[in-house]
PDB file of all heavy atoms in Angstrom:
ATOM      1  N   ARG A  98     -11.132   5.736   2.306  1.00 90.00           N
ATOM      2  CA  ARG A  98     -10.879   6.880   1.382  1.00 90.00           C
ATOM      3  C   ARG A  98      -9.378   7.187   1.348  1.00 90.00           C
ATOM      4  O   ARG A  98      -8.610   6.859   2.305  1.00 90.00           O
ATOM      5  CB  ARG A  98     -11.673   8.075   1.750  1.00 90.00           C
ATOM      6  CG  ARG A  98     -13.165   7.879   1.785  1.00 90.00           C
ATOM      7  CD  ARG A  98     -13.909   9.162   2.237  1.00 90.00           C
ATOM      8  NE  ARG A  98     -13.666  10.294   1.312  1.00 90.00           N
ATOM      9  CZ  ARG A  98     -13.987  11.510   1.627  1.00 90.00           C
ATOM     10  NH1 ARG A  98     -14.544  11.802   2.732  1.00 90.00           N
ATOM     11  NH2 ARG A  98     -13.775  12.492   0.709  1.00 90.00           N
ATOM     12  N   LEU A  99      -8.942   7.874   0.274  1.00 94.00           N
ATOM     13  CA  LEU A  99      -7.576   8.269   0.133  1.00 94.00           C
ATOM     14  C   LEU A  99      -7.378   9.724   0.623  1.00 94.00           C
ATOM     15  O   LEU A  99      -8.107  10.613   0.118  1.00 94.00           O
ATOM     16  CB  LEU A  99      -7.159   8.090  -1.310  1.00 94.00           C
ATOM     17  CG  LEU A  99      -5.745   8.608  -1.620  1.00 94.00           C
ATOM     18  CD1 LEU A  99      -4.667   7.737  -0.954  1.00 94.00           C
ATOM     19  CD2 LEU A  99      -5.512   8.529  -3.176  1.00 94.00           C
ATOM     20  N   PHE A 100      -6.446   9.926   1.500  1.00 95.00           N
ATOM     21  CA  PHE A 100      -6.155  11.220   2.007  1.00 95.00           C
ATOM     22  C   PHE A 100      -4.636  11.517   1.665  1.00 95.00           C
ATOM     23  O   PHE A 100      -3.807  10.722   1.842  1.00 95.00           O
ATOM     24  CB  PHE A 100      -6.291  11.351   3.525  1.00 95.00           C
ATOM     25  CG  PHE A 100      -7.730  11.257   3.949  1.00 95.00           C
ATOM     26  CD1 PHE A 100      -8.444  10.077   3.994  1.00 95.00           C
ATOM     27  CD2 PHE A 100      -8.410  12.415   4.311  1.00 95.00           C
ATOM     28  CE1 PHE A 100      -9.755  10.013   4.406  1.00 95.00           C
ATOM     29  CE2 PHE A 100      -9.719  12.393   4.742  1.00 95.00           C
ATOM     30  CZ  PHE A 100     -10.390  11.192   4.720  1.00 95.00           C
ATOM     31  N   VAL A 101      -4.449  12.799   1.160  1.00 95.00           N
ATOM     32  CA  VAL A 101      -3.075  13.245   0.848  1.00 95.00           C
ATOM     33  C   VAL A 101      -2.708  14.309   1.812  1.00 95.00           C
ATOM     34  O   VAL A 101      -3.380  15.329   1.977  1.00 95.00           O
ATOM     35  CB  VAL A 101      -3.079  13.818  -0.623  1.00 95.00           C
ATOM     36  CG1 VAL A 101      -1.667  14.177  -0.999  1.00 95.00           C
ATOM     37  CG2 VAL A 101      -3.702  12.835  -1.585  1.00 95.00           C
ATOM     38  N   THR A 110      -3.983  18.116   1.955  1.00 94.00           N
ATOM     39  CA  THR A 110      -4.049  18.753   0.667  1.00 94.00           C
ATOM     40  C   THR A 110      -5.084  18.175  -0.274  1.00 94.00           C
ATOM     41  O   THR A 110      -5.522  18.861  -1.174  1.00 94.00           O
ATOM     42  CB  THR A 110      -2.691  18.584  -0.056  1.00 94.00           C
ATOM     43  OG1 THR A 110      -2.372  17.165  -0.282  1.00 94.00           O
ATOM     44  CG2 THR A 110      -1.558  19.182   0.796  1.00 94.00           C
ATOM     45  N   ALA A 111      -5.586  16.955   0.025  1.00 93.00           N
ATOM     46  CA  ALA A 111      -6.628  16.416  -0.839  1.00 93.00           C
ATOM     47  C   ALA A 111      -7.256  15.230  -0.136  1.00 93.00           C
ATOM     48  O   ALA A 111      -6.597  14.514   0.625  1.00 93.00           O
ATOM     49  CB  ALA A 111      -6.119  15.986  -2.228  1.00 93.00           C
ATOM     50  N   ALA A 112      -8.527  14.918  -0.478  1.00 93.00           N
ATOM     51  CA  ALA A 112      -9.187  13.703  -0.018  1.00 93.00           C
ATOM     52  C   ALA A 112     -10.021  13.170  -1.229  1.00 93.00           C
ATOM     53  O   ALA A 112     -10.783  13.929  -1.763  1.00 93.00           O
ATOM     54  CB  ALA A 112     -10.107  13.987   1.166  1.00 93.00           C
ATOM     55  N   LEU A 113      -9.764  11.957  -1.604  1.00 91.00           N
ATOM     56  CA  LEU A 113     -10.338  11.430  -2.844  1.00 91.00           C
ATOM     57  C   LEU A 113     -11.159  10.152  -2.572  1.00 91.00           C
ATOM     58  O   LEU A 113     -10.718   9.227  -1.880  1.00 91.00           O
ATOM     59  CB  LEU A 113      -9.230  10.995  -3.846  1.00 91.00           C
ATOM     60  CG  LEU A 113      -8.288  12.111  -4.364  1.00 91.00           C
ATOM     61  CD1 LEU A 113      -7.278  11.472  -5.304  1.00 91.00           C
ATOM     62  CD2 LEU A 113      -9.070  13.161  -5.082  1.00 91.00           C
ATOM     63  N   PRO A 114     -12.354  10.053  -3.151  1.00 88.00           N
ATOM     64  CA  PRO A 114     -13.083   8.816  -3.135  1.00 88.00           C
ATOM     65  C   PRO A 114     -12.465   7.880  -4.180  1.00 88.00           C
ATOM     66  O   PRO A 114     -11.954   8.311  -5.190  1.00 88.00           O
ATOM     67  CB  PRO A 114     -14.480   9.199  -3.524  1.00 88.00           C
ATOM     68  CG  PRO A 114     -14.326  10.452  -4.313  1.00 88.00           C
ATOM     69  CD  PRO A 114     -13.124  11.178  -3.791  1.00 88.00           C
TER      70      PRO A 114
END
Side-chain angles (χ1 to χ4, degrees):
R98 299 179 63 190
L99 176 64
F100 290 77
V101 185
T110 62
L113 299 178

